[in-house]
Amino acid sequence: MQPVAGPSEPRQRAANVHGRWRSGAGRVMDNVRRAPGDWCDLGPSPDSLTSMGSLARREHHEKKSSAFTWEVKANDRAYNNQFEEKAFLCLWRKKYKDNIIHTAKYNVFSFLPLNLYEQFHCISNLYFLLIIILQGIPEISTLPWFTLFIPLVSLLVIRATRDLVDDIGRHRSDKTINNRPCQMLVGKSFLWKKWKDLCVGDLVCLHRDNIVPADILLLASTEPSSLCYVETADIDGETNLKFRQAPLVTHRKLTNIRKMASFQGKVVCEEPNSRMHHFVGCLEWDGKKYPLDSGHILLRGCKIRNTDTCYGMVLYAGFDTKIMRSCGGIHLKRTKTDRLLNRLVILIFLALLLVSLALTLSFWYVMPELKGKHRYIAEKRVYSLPTEVFLVFWAFLILLSVMVPMAMFILAEFIYLGNSIFINWDLQMYYGPQDRPAKARNTSLADQLGQVEYIFSDKTGTLTENIMTFKKCCINGIVYGSDDEMAPRKESSSFWTKYADGKLPFRSLRFMGAMLERKEKVVQEFWRLLAICHTVMVQGTDVGELVYQAASPDEEALVTAARHFGYVFLARTQDSITVVELGEKRVYQVLAIMDFNSVRKRMSVLVRNPEGSIYLYTKGADIVIFDLLCHKGLMECNTEEALASFAQETLRTLCLAYKRVDEDVFKAWRQRHQEASVLLQNRAHALHQLYEEMEQNLQLLGATAIEDKLQDGVPETIQCLKQGNIKVWVLTGDKQAVNIGFACRLLSEDMVILEEKEICRFLDAHGETNNNLLGDKDGLETLFLPHVKMAMVINGEFLDQLLLALHKEPRALVQNVSVDVESWQGAEERAPHFVKSRRVSLLWQSLGVQQRSKKDKGAGSGESPEVQRERAFVELASQCQAVICCRVTPKQKAVIVALVKKYRNVVTLAIGDGANDVNMIKTADVGVGLAGQEGMQAVLSSDYVLAQFRFLRRLLLVHGRWSYMRMCKFLRYFIYKTVASMMVQIWFAFYNGFTAQPLYEGWFLALYNLLYTTLPVLYIGLFEQDLSAEQSLELPELYVDGQQARLFNYWVFLQAVAHGTATSLINFFVTLWVSRDTAGPLSFSDYQSFAEVVAFSCLLSITVEVILIIKYWTVLCVLAIALSLCLYVVITWTSQSFWLFRASPAAFPFLYASRNMVSKPSALLVVLLNVSLNTLPVLAFRIIYQALKKPHLKVTEAEVPTDQSWNPSLCREQEEESEEAPSQDVITVDTQPYLHRGSRSRRSSYAFSHREGYADLITQGTSLQKSPVDTGDLLADHRFLPDEELVLNITKSPWYRRKMSFLGRAPQLQEKVSSEDETPSSSTSSYLTTEERTSCTNRAAPPPERGLRGVPEEAAGEAGAAVPS
């Protein structure tokens, strides 16, 4: 029975069309403005009812984007092109975008300026550019201009090349997508065009397995009633088929291509937005208006399944489509180390300014005295003293500018690239079945992988394979499971029925014996129920195989299991279902279908068997079924134990029950049911009561257990990550993910699981009693005892009510924004009333909630209450070991990631495999895309590509930790060696009159960081290992070093500076002390010899230091050190040769300086003395420090044993202490123990999670194939039902708030649904057969022709003949 739509006659009012001339443009733009009341009553389709509950509570910012100002006219580009919008100031552009997608950042013209603009956002590049400009001024230049210009150009070219390569990949992807073929209506025929040629209003033709190119209004299809089956795996990760249906008017009238070519309908709908499951619009055609909703829309990215041909009209194209609106933009990602380096560059620059200023002031003080003593100085100083002071300041700044080494940034790029290549080459992350290696698409985030604290993961396709497998069952109190010693699959499956596919892994010898005996009626009824009680539709193939189409994978798994054991669902019509039971074909007359919904948590089918008896078959959640049983005996107790056992194994459970219904009882019930089904008010309430009445006194058959198959290695990976102090949050669009949380060890038995009501009460009580607690330095971290393990389970509706951040884009979160809190308060008002203030809750005492007086805390931080609540929620969630967010939208995923980044200041990683994960992946610091079965959208937007979730363990704990350790050691050593060599310039200034004269040879300064010390430090950045890969995986606790930034921070930076300063002091002053007051051929007291001794001492000292800090020695390491020293020798001797000196004395002034120094034994002894003094004290200090240092044994939250639970005595002691302290107030909430996983509440919370099935389509006959007729150019042979039957009921589904609490609150299942809370809904309506509907409404029109859907002709004929008349 289809729902009834709003008023019988849609309201039509004239739209106010205002024309406006724009000055100088000469064009007219039509602005169509309509008041909200001008529209016909619009409502959701049955498929969109579940999403409407949260959308009704959308915030104000979404309402603005939902204004009905989007007008699209079919087959009329001229009309659609006249709409324009203001782009900038007086510039206007077309309002409707074309279907071309540009995800690349650059084009031919914008690459150079835009890339340079991005690169000079880096403080270090601006610093280098400033120094190069100063070096070009001869009066103040102390170093050749090319010493910084060439390295800077090299750095810019390297980074630009990297960005260009990445962007070329995006261009290729865009080109591939934009050039996909599709059929577009041109004139009076459909021609093959490209996606990029589509425009708003065009009509397209799609075929089976085609990808939908834009957001399209479905107009017609070759399926009955213009149904269209789509797969949305690339959008929301769900692989089960969904149906869309064309509006009735287009289904009837657009029956051939000629009529489509003349179609001039106009769609008026909401502006483009990112709400994937929501659409409201109106079709205006021939002076009438027809409502449209999300059930009529095919979204871009969907794939057409099981539908030969469908036709549609483009409503949103390109970046206006919902999937592109949800993807977010491309943003530059930078690592924490990179940001720290930028701050250090500023710090160093400020220090250099102060040092240069101090040295300049010294020059001002000393220079008059020097001019008086030495006349030749006065002759050279031609400028006045103030001018010279000014020039000397800039000269010192240039001379000391090498304290920020350009080579460090150049080598860092090579290190990033090298570590990324190692990820690509890792065979341990290669997935053979799909031939997919790991791939680093972003080469600048390698060290960030070693600092991740939060992982945000999708569920479907990321943690699971989305494959439901029938694992176990309990029949009549006996549990049956698979046996390992069973026969091969083909023998076992073919033994029962020829229709079995042999793919079910369930095989049990004991169960086979029970089936062969055929004495147990319970066993027969068990499998008969699974073959009958469902909304699965069947389709036959050319080879006679059966293909099932289900609204959820759970139902398909159950029907497939029944088929495997000889109870084969073969075919169905509107009022019958054909089943082959152990070789015998039986046709059951379907009297009524009571479909599943989230309120009932069960499904029932009322059938009449071939013998004429009436049976009711019911399946659903155990907490529902057990309350409907007629008695509870030993079998029920055994089933309870079996359910608890299944729950321990994290299986998805269902209970099965049935009863025989007397004929008189059924006739009386049917009469009342028919009366209730035509009520105009309180229909859902009346039907719900009738269902409750019929579904009483059931007899339990047993229970099923289905496994939602995890990917290989997921539990071990999550457990290892938790040991590394990495928190994993699951953000999924599915309705529930709690069982997956237990299956992958994200949740454990001893965890306190907080749900929405507990979170609301905690935040409300926290805000009332302690407004300013969040202003504390420690925040909520001091509120929880370390032995209490918590988890949080919430959904998208709760986030809509709670989070202020949903008003803003994920990357533009601000703090001081007011928000309407009615929805927040409404959540508590809708919740059931609980008895409060009875006693202090054991739960909250265990959480350690402490009251702090307002007056003790001051006036607060000045944040608005909404922002404080937002911050409190993030703090509370961060104290949980796991957080699971169900039914969240792509934008909500990104908002959650952005909030954690904003308030926790941590490194986040997002991993997913679908287009609904793209926004989350882009928002996180590191985005990982899984190359799975859901398309390549996530991969194309990710930084790293993996084939399986389990490879994330090696990516983080091995490659991430290595990359972070290498980069930190590289930076520390580079800073040390730079300071060690360049601080000498400051000491030398005290002996040259503060004249900014460099000590070293110019070529030594230019090549010191580029060649002489490059290879060893490059080896550290690429190949250094403190532990092997196996040891890194065995000791995940070591990953905490990266999270806490222990290896490189301000303290480590100061240590490196201090170490380098000490080295420079020894090299300079020891050499000065030894060479002072010496003369003769063996003396090295002259300027050039002194400079060479200091330079050689510095080079050898830092070489010995690199030998000491390297832990992973290879032949390559030895070659790097040896080659660096050889380069110094060769280049120094070459630059100091006579022929270069003769060619350019000014450029090569150090003639034979190094050769003379080496020939003097005293100079070599001084070099040896300097190296010894630099090395031995440091080596001794490190040995003593390691011996005295206590082992670092910090136990993280993840290291708490999983079997640890509460200590009741400790809780009682806390309770006594709280009672003894009169000054402390306590927060009073319900006294409820936390929930055990084996309890009925825990099982029922995820026992039956799939959505409504195809009951409405089945009973209407709209999903069943009609006999094909040769219709020429007709789209299909459409047989129409009477108008009364096909009127859409678009009334809104009631928003149902879960009565269940994960804190073990007893559910009230018998609670009656009041008329105030329930509105007429298709999801709670029963579906009667055609015969009953006709007799109920006394219709004169004959019922539609019955037919079978896609089964072999032989089976279809027999099934049709067996249908009772």
Side-chain angles (χ1 to χ4, degrees), residues 455-459 463 650 710 714-719 721-722 726-731 737-751 753 789-793 880-885 949 1202 1237:
I455 293 177
F456 300 90
S457 173
D458 183 35
K459 181 182 78 72
L463 299 177
T650 67
L710 291 173
V714 168
E716 295 78 10
T717 300
I718 290 181
Q719 192 68 18
L721 293 175
K722 290 171 67 177
I726 301 175
K727 294 182 179 180
V728 181
W729 292 18
V730 177
L731 312 180
V738 180
N739 57 325
I740 294 300
F742 281 106
C744 64
R745 302 179 191 173
L746 194 61
L747 304 178
S748 60
E749 292 281 359
D750 59 338
M751 281 186 177
I753 299 182
K789 301 175 65 177
M790 296 186 302
M792 182 183 291
V793 178
C880 298
Q881 275 70 26
V883 175
I884 296 178
C885 302
F949 181 86
T1202 56
R1237 197 176 71 202

Side-chain angles (χ1 to χ4, degrees), residues 161-178:
T161 303
R162 180 195 64 192
D163 295 339
L164 181 61
V165 171
D166 292 342
D167 210 57
I168 288 175
R170 297 190 190 99
H171 275 285
R172 290 175 178 173
S173 174
D174 293 342
K175 185 178 180 180
T176 301
I177 294 175
N178 292 329

Side-chain angles (χ1 to χ4, degrees), residues 809-1043:
E809 288 300 321
R811 298 176 188 86
L813 299 179
V814 295
Q815 293 186 357
N816 299 322
V817 179
S818 60
V819 63
D820 184 12
V821 297
E822 291 180 1
S823 59
W824 164 259
Q825 298 168 349
E828 278 300 292
E829 294 172 359
R830 285 186 292 264
H833 176 70
F834 296 99
V835 180
K836 296 184 178 180
S837 304
R838 291 186 300 174
R839 57 187 179 272
V840 179
S841 170
L842 178 64
L843 168 65
W844 297 114
Q845 286 211 16
S846 68
L847 294 180
V849 178
Q850 302 174 5
Q851 170 63 24
R852 300 183 183 182
S853 175
K854 293 183 183 180
K855 55 179 123 181
D856 294 336
K857 301 310 296 181
S861 60
E863 292 181 340
S864 65
E866 293 79 13
V867 175
Q868 289 185 3
R869 184 176 65 245
E870 184 180 287
R871 183 191 297 272
F873 170 75
V874 176
E875 292 286 344
L876 177 62
S878 66
Q879 298 305 311
C880 298
Q881 275 70 26
V883 175
I884 296 178
C885 302
C886 306
R887 211 60 181 165
V888 289
T889 64
K891 181 179 179 181
Q892 287 174 329
K893 291 183 178 184
V895 165
I896 293 173
V897 176
L899 282 175
V900 173
K901 291 174 59 178
K902 173 184 176 182
Y903 291 115
R904 301 299 297 170
N905 192 26
V906 295
V907 177
T908 58
L909 181 146
I911 180 171
D913 65 331
N916 58 328
D917 305 315
V918 169
N919 208 348
M920 173 178 70
I921 288 174
K922 291 181 177 180
T923 304
D925 295 302
V926 180
V928 178
L930 288 189
Q933 303 175 354
E934 300 181 12
M936 300 295 290
Q937 291 280 351
V939 169
L940 296 176
S941 303
S942 64
D943 304 307
Y944 296 90
V945 180
L946 299 177
Q948 293 274 288
F949 181 86
R950 57 189 169 95
F951 296 144
L952 189 63
R953 175 187 178 190
R954 186 175 180 88
L955 180 68
L956 297 183
L957 301 185
V958 177
H959 291 282
R961 203 182 70 83
W962 277 354
S963 298
Y964 172 72
M965 180 269 300
R966 290 166 178 167
M967 181 57 64
C968 292
K969 187 174 283 190
F970 160 78
L971 292 175
R972 188 195 184 284
Y973 176 73
F974 213 107
I975 292 172
Y976 158 74
K977 74 183 187 68
T978 302
V979 174
S981 60
M982 298 306 152
M983 285 293 286
V984 174
Q985 303 281 8
I986 298 177
W987 318 140
F988 184 61
F990 287 89
Y991 295 89
N992 61 18
F994 302 101
T995 55
Q997 178 185 0
L999 172 64
Y1000 299 120
E1001 180 188 9
W1003 291 102
F1004 180 84
L1005 285 174
L1007 302 177
Y1008 172 77
N1009 281 324
L1010 288 178
L1011 291 179
Y1012 299 160
T1013 59
T1014 297
L1015 295 181
V1017 76
L1018 190 61
Y1019 176 86
I1020 291 176
L1022 291 176
F1023 303 104
E1024 175 68 343
Q1025 296 180 19
D1026 56 346
L1027 295 174
S1028 64
E1030 293 74 15
Q1031 290 173 323
S1032 298
L1033 294 175
E1034 292 173 359
L1035 299 172
E1037 296 83 3
L1038 298 178
Y1039 191 82
V1040 180
D1041 290 342
Q1043 295 174 338

Side-chain angles (χ1 to χ4, degrees), residues 453-454 725 727 762 766 770 772-788 790 846-850 852 871-881 900 903-906 1044 1194 1197:
E453 291 189 49
Y454 285 80
N725 197 34
K727 294 182 179 180
F762 172 80
H766 178 268
N770 190 7
N772 304 314
L773 177 62
L774 295 177
D776 291 349
K777 180 180 179 180
D778 297 331
L780 289 176
E781 296 177 0
T782 60
L783 294 182
F784 305 105
L785 298 180
H787 68 281
V788 178
M790 296 186 302
S846 68
L847 294 180
V849 178
Q850 302 174 5
R852 300 183 183 182
R871 183 191 297 272
F873 170 75
V874 176
E875 292 286 344
L876 177 62
S878 66
Q879 298 305 311
C880 298
Q881 275 70 26
V900 173
Y903 291 115
R904 301 299 297 170
N905 192 26
V906 295
Q1044 300 180 0
K1194 180 180 179 181
E1197 297 170 345

